[in-house]
Amino acid sequence: MDYKLEVLLEQDNKFSLFMTNQLKEFNNERSFHHKESRKKGYVVPINLIVSDENDQWIGGITAELYWNWVEIDVLWLSDQIRGMGIGTDLLKKLETIGVEKGAENVLLTTFEFQARSFYELNGYRVVGEIKDYPPGSSYYTMVKSLHS
């Protein structure tokens, strides 16, 4: 088969959507869990929002629950509230919600310069590491069982 290769060094939303849809279709055909997770209401978004006395957002967690896992997308706290135990409180609340909704584990990724030690102090363990990403650092995948 002959083919043509085009190199495009800029964002092409139409092509990105095409590729995403093709991968979803491929996964749906081969994985019951992928197909089920595409049904409306299957993925449960979880947002824990920390606000100050003026109702300004100063931190929180965004996560999703699916496949009996909670996946943390972002945990961030402003400098003014770091070190006060709020991050640990947020993780505990998220884990409690996860258990109530049937989750068995939590998954997250973090860079070496971010919060690996914080997560380890809260019972998370490294299950994967990409060294020198970004250069001079590491990127970690971490998990925690909610039933241990």
Side-chain angles (χ1 to χ4, degrees):
M1 173 181 173
D2 291 332
Y3 66 92
K4 176 180 128 185
L5 175 63
E6 176 183 358
V7 176
L8 185 61
L9 299 177
E10 59 187 45
Q11 182 64 38
D12 185 318
N13 292 332
K14 187 176 176 181
F15 181 69
S16 294
L17 182 60
F18 166 80
M19 293 297 289
T20 298
N21 288 337
Q22 294 306 305
L23 184 59
K24 284 180 179 179
E25 186 177 313
F26 179 90
N27 290 346
N28 286 349
E29 291 171 2
R30 289 160 180 82
S31 168
F32 168 80
H33 297 291
H34 279 81
K35 188 173 184 177
E36 285 297 300
S37 69
R38 308 230 195 275
K39 292 181 178 176
K40 186 174 179 155
Y42 187 92
V43 175
V44 177
I46 304 171
N47 297 292
L48 304 180
I49 302 167
V50 181
S51 302
D52 67 12
E53 62 277 357
N54 298 314
D55 291 326
Q56 297 297 306
W57 297 335
I58 54 175
I61 293 179
T62 60
E64 294 181 322
L65 187 144
Y66 57 95
W67 300 336
N68 298 330
W69 285 74
V70 173
E71 183 171 355
I72 297 174
D73 297 313
V74 176
L75 187 161
W76 176 83
L77 300 174
S78 69
D79 287 341
Q80 69 194 49
I81 60 170
R82 289 189 185 162
M84 299 172 60
I86 295 170
T88 297
D89 291 345
L90 286 171
L91 281 179
K92 288 179 182 175
K93 181 65 173 173
L94 180 70
E95 293 164 7
T96 298
I97 293 168
V99 168
E100 289 170 355
K101 297 201 168 290
E104 297 175 10
N105 301 285
V106 182
L107 166 71
L108 64 90
T109 57
T110 190
F111 289 100
E112 183 175 352
F113 60 85
Q114 289 178 328
R116 175 185 171 176
S117 60
F118 163 75
Y119 291 116
E120 287 176 325
L121 288 171
N122 283 282
Y124 290 75
R125 62 185 173 83
V126 173
V127 296
E129 177 183 1
I130 302 173
K131 295 178 189 244
D132 209 34
Y133 182 79
S137 189
S138 286
Y139 184 66
Y140 302 102
T141 299
M142 302 182 78
V143 298
K144 179 178 181 179
S145 171
L146 296 177
H147 299 292
S148 54

